[in-house]
Amino acid sequence: MYRIKRQDDPEKNYQLMAYMAKRVLEDDKDVIASLANVSAVINGYMDKINWVGFYIMRDGELVLGPFQGLPACIRIQVGKGVCGTAVKEGKTQIIPDVHKFPGHIACDSASNSEIVIPIYKNGEVFGVLDVDSPEFDRFGELESKYLQEICDALDKQLGVG
């Protein structure tokens, strides 16, 4: 059905990743199934990562959703860790060294850097996209741009925005 084919040029690779994520979102409107497929696409196209997935707001806290990687923290309070901070501040968090981040929650001790992007529904945070890497300073504006494009597609395709 879908085939992961990485490109040598990082930006072209991310363009293809965003394109493939949008394609899988066209297949079904079920939120959980779509988030599962999107996490698989990101995992397939991004190198040097060890975890990618979603946390969904439920009863005032973030609850683990579909992901690729080792088992993760199940619940995260708003304002706690990188994910909770992204929700509290309502903006993308790019953390070059998670060990220097106040209140970092170490779900996987191999993670050294992280990017978290909030996803909105009707003006409220629906959840977050979370990507971790074993490398320091792994994420920057290029990753932020294309992961945000995927989150925007989630908003549109799933009626999350």
Side-chain angles (χ1 to χ4, degrees):
M1 179 183 212
Y2 297 102
R3 187 171 166 204
I4 302 296
K5 186 175 180 182
R6 289 187 185 195
Q7 303 295 309
D8 291 333
D9 177 273
E11 185 152 18
K12 287 182 181 177
N13 190 55
Y14 291 151
Q15 289 170 348
L16 188 55
M17 175 183 73
Y19 171 79
M20 290 302 293
K22 291 173 192 174
R23 290 281 316 275
V24 301
L25 288 170
E26 292 171 355
D27 285 349
D28 200 291
K29 299 294 185 198
D30 183 87
V31 174
I32 300 301
S34 294
L35 294 178
N37 271 337
V38 169
S39 68
V41 167
I42 295 169
N43 191 55
Y45 279 99
M46 289 191 86
D47 62 351
K48 303 173 188 165
I49 64 172
N50 58 317
W51 198 92
V52 56
F54 297 91
Y55 281 91
I56 301 167
M57 287 296 297
R58 296 233 169 98
D59 299 321
E61 65 183 347
L62 290 165
V63 178
L64 182 64
F67 69 93
Q68 303 281 313
L70 294 175
C73 301
I74 295 173
R75 298 179 185 279
I76 299 174
Q77 295 177 354
V78 172
K80 303 292 183 183
V82 180
C83 291
T85 299
V87 171
K88 183 178 179 183
E89 295 182 4
K91 65 180 186 176
T92 297
Q93 303 291 308
I94 299 174
I95 310 301
D97 182 349
V98 295
H99 308 291
K100 294 180 180 175
F101 188 86
H104 174 251
I105 301 168
C107 296
D108 182 346
S109 62
S111 295
N112 288 314
S113 63
E114 185 170 5
I115 183 170
V116 178
I117 301 174
I119 302 167
Y120 290 89
K121 178 179 182 176
N122 301 323
E124 300 289 324
V125 176
F126 166 82
V128 297
L129 167 60
D130 180 16
V131 186
D132 295 1
S133 174
E135 293 197 355
F136 291 99
D137 203 21
R138 166 65 183 85
F139 306 105
E141 290 305 315
L142 186 64
E143 290 79 14
S144 178
K145 174 184 174 181
Y146 287 100
L147 292 173
Q148 183 64 59
E149 187 176 325
I150 291 170
C151 289
D152 292 345
L154 281 166
D155 294 349
K156 182 179 177 186
Q157 292 296 326
L158 301 175
V160 173

